[in-house]
Amino acid sequence: MHTRQTNKSIIHTFSESIRRTAPGSTQDLLSEYYHNDIVWHGPSPINTLRGRDELRNEFWDPFLEAFPDLQKDDYILFAGEFDGDEWVCATGNFVGTFENDWLNVRRQTR
């Protein structure tokens, strides 16, 4: 089993890695961090995505395309155990320049 600190380190490493990954090149990285049968619950209008491929195609690749200079900054990481299972949670900010349309929202040009 992992320790809580190790679990937090894994999440932090993912955050550092995803921001250096180009859209369309996320498959290997996501394979390392997400189970193939993931059920991901995100904000509306994305909502629930099923499977690593759907997560990549419907969230990560379009998001990275829209914000090519994305930074993912976790400012709180915490971990624990419940009912014999380990968990980790992160909160933070995504920061980037809105370069391309995303979720039917047109980028602003000025």
Side-chain angles (χ1 to χ4, degrees), residues 14-57:
F14 172 77
S15 293
E16 292 293 313
S17 299
I18 194 69
R19 71 186 200 171
R20 291 188 304 268
T21 303
S25 300
T26 57
Q27 185 167 357
D28 289 342
L29 179 66
L30 297 181
S31 294
E32 185 177 341
Y33 288 93
Y34 290 98
H35 190 277
N36 193 46
D37 295 330
I38 185 173
V39 177
W40 186 85
H41 302 284
S44 183
I46 300 168
N47 300 316
T48 301
L49 300 176
R50 299 185 187 289
R52 191 171 50 226
D53 290 340
E54 191 170 85
L55 177 61
R56 182 183 75 244
N57 294 328

Side-chain angles (χ1 to χ4, degrees), residues 31-98:
S31 294
E32 185 177 341
Y33 288 93
Y34 290 98
H35 190 277
N36 193 46
D37 295 330
I38 185 173
V39 177
W40 186 85
H41 302 284
S44 183
I46 300 168
N47 300 316
T48 301
L49 300 176
R50 299 185 187 289
R52 191 171 50 226
D53 290 340
E54 191 170 85
L55 177 61
R56 182 183 75 244
N57 294 328
E58 299 298 321
F59 177 72
W60 279 116
D61 282 352
F63 189 58
L64 293 170
E65 181 71 29
F67 300 91
D69 60 350
L70 181 73
Q71 293 181 13
K72 183 179 184 305
D73 300 320
D74 298 328
Y75 55 81
I76 297 176
L77 284 167
F78 53 100
E81 186 177 321
F82 178 76
D83 202 21
D85 291 323
E86 295 181 17
W87 56 266
V88 64
C89 182
T91 188
N93 296 310
F94 289 108
V95 178
T97 307
F98 194 7

